[in-house]
């Protein structure tokens, strides 16, 4: 079953067209990585898919439900009640963590469960602690974000996203704000989620990681998909631009 479908997505900011024509989908349990140079539109695809930005054109479909439909001139969004259902289907992990600095680790994970899911504080705490234990952060429950390393903060962000039990997790360059030595601990968590068949779309510059973890990889440039395929096929491509890009990261 397709968890997400995007058909002919278009997005401009003023006169700058960032997404020209993007179509992609992800099946339940699949890991899709999106790679490409800075400015290629990768993060904008995620922001449009998670409704942080509105589409100028194209369709956005979650689990068969049309969230935005292209009427030939623009994308028309569904009713607010349907939008709320769509928001429940995904989680988003940002590159800069986006934790509440004045909340403890536990409260950061619990808060959406209490405010959005309307769980009791007891139920929310139980679910939050289960996830913190899974991510090796049980002993940090009362710490504040400023007391954590970047890797620990990103793991809290992942716990917060998982707490809502989404069908799909988006990662927008989850290690780009981290020192190389902290990158490994976050990538290890994502690899574990892949083993558990969590459906994920990952924008990343970690080429070897993308190769190891992905079922499919998309290479984007200039607001379009240049090539997509299984990791081994993409890494063996004869496309000179992609070979050059991958080579720079593997050098």
């Amino acid at each position: 079953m397709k968890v997400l479908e995007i058909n002919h997505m278009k997005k401009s900011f003023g006169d700058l067209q960032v997404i020209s024509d993007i179509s992609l989908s992800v099946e339940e349990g699949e890991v899709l990585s999106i790679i490409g140079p800075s400015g290629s539109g990768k993060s904008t695809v995620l922001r449009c898919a998670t409704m942080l930005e509105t589409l100028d054109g194209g369709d956005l479909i979650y689990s068969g439900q049309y969230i935005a439909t292209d009427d030939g001139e623009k994308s028309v969004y569904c009713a607010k009640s349907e939008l709320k259902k769509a928001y429940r289907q995904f989680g988003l992990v940002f590159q800069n963590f986006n934790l509440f600095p004045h909340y403890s680790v536990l409260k950061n994970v619990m808060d959406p469960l209490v405010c959005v899911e309307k769980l009791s504080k007891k139920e929310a705490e139980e679910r939050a602690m289960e996830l913190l234990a899974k991510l090796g952060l049980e002993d940090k429950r009362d710490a504040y974000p400023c007391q954590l390393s970047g890797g620990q903060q990103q793991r809290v962000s992942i716990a917060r996203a998982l707490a809502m039990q989404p069908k799909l997790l988006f990662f927008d360059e989850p290690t780009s704000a981290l020192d190389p030595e902290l990158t490994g601990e976050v990538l290890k968590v994502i690899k574990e989620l892949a083993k558990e068949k969590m459906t994920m779309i990952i924008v990343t510059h970690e080429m070897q990681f993308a190769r190891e973890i992905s079922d499919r990889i998309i290479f984007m440039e200039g607001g379009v998909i240049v090539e997509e395929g299984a990791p081994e096929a993409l890494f063996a491509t004869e496309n000179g631009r992609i070979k050059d890009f991958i080579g720079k990261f593997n050098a």
Side-chain angles (χ1 to χ4, degrees):
M1 178 186 174
K2 286 186 173 65
V3 179
L4 171 70
E5 294 174 75
I6 292 169
N7 299 323
H8 304 295
M9 174 191 282
K10 295 176 179 62
K11 181 64 184 176
S12 297
F13 297 99
D15 294 332
L16 178 65
Q17 187 167 40
V18 179
I19 303 294
S20 303
D21 185 355
I22 292 284
S23 295
L24 62 84
S25 64
V26 62
E27 298 276 346
E28 191 172 353
E30 187 179 21
V31 178
L32 173 68
S33 289
I34 304 176
I35 64 172
S38 296
S40 59
K42 306 183 302 294
S43 292
T44 302
V45 169
L46 258 59
R47 290 182 66 82
C48 288
T50 55
M51 293 172 277
L52 291 171
E53 302 284 356
T54 54
L55 298 177
D56 293 334
D59 306 320
L60 179 63
I61 308 159
Y62 275 97
S63 301
Q65 174 70 44
Y66 276 77
I67 305 307
T69 307
D70 196 314
D71 69 357
E73 293 183 5
K74 62 184 186 301
S75 294
V76 179
Y77 282 79
C78 62
K80 281 187 177 178
S81 58
E82 295 302 317
L83 281 176
K84 279 186 178 177
K85 290 179 191 173
Y87 279 118
R88 301 280 181 93
Q89 296 207 39
F90 63 82
L92 174 59
V93 178
F94 298 88
Q95 54 186 295
N96 293 317
F97 323 134
N98 279 35
L99 298 174
F100 293 112
H102 55 295
Y103 284 1
S104 69
V105 164
L106 180 61
K107 187 166 170 54
N108 261 289
V109 180
M110 280 179 60
D111 195 57
L113 295 175
V114 174
C115 297
V116 180
E117 289 287 293
K118 306 301 181 188
L119 294 188
S120 69
K121 285 193 174 179
K122 183 175 183 294
E123 289 174 305
E125 182 171 345
E126 284 175 1
R127 190 187 294 181
M129 285 307 300
E130 192 178 309
L131 284 164
L132 291 175
K134 178 179 178 177
L135 297 182
L137 293 164
E138 204 169 9
D139 61 335
K140 300 294 184 185
R141 57 172 286 165
D142 297 321
Y144 286 84
C146 65
Q147 298 171 308
L148 305 178
S149 71
Q152 288 169 334
Q153 289 185 62
Q154 192 60 294
R155 281 186 282 151
V156 174
S157 296
I158 294 169
R160 183 178 60 184
L162 287 171
M164 299 294 283
Q165 300 178 332
K167 288 184 179 180
L168 169 62
L169 261 188
F170 291 95
F171 290 88
D172 187 6
E173 298 189 23
T175 60
S176 67
L178 302 177
D179 295 334
E181 62 187 39
L182 297 176
T183 294
E185 67 185 69
V186 173
L187 298 184
K188 183 181 174 186
V189 169
I190 300 173
K191 283 179 182 177
E192 287 300 315
L193 293 173
K195 283 181 190 171
E196 295 167 13
K197 292 297 178 185
M198 182 76 210
T199 312
M200 294 184 279
I201 296 180
I202 306 167
V203 169
T204 183
H205 280 119
E206 300 284 340
M207 293 299 108
Q208 192 54 40
F209 167 69
R211 185 174 190 168
E212 288 173 15
I213 199 174
S214 308
D215 296 299
R216 277 186 301 128
I217 300 178
I218 283 172
F219 180 87
M220 274 185 67
E221 188 165 39
V224 298
I225 293 171
V226 177
E227 195 167 323
E228 70 173 292
E232 293 313 311
L234 198 98
F235 275 72
T237 182
E238 290 305 311
N239 183 305
R241 177 66 185 101
I242 300 173
K243 283 172 78 170
D244 182 54
F245 177 81
I246 291 171
K248 283 178 180 172
F249 282 92
N250 290 338

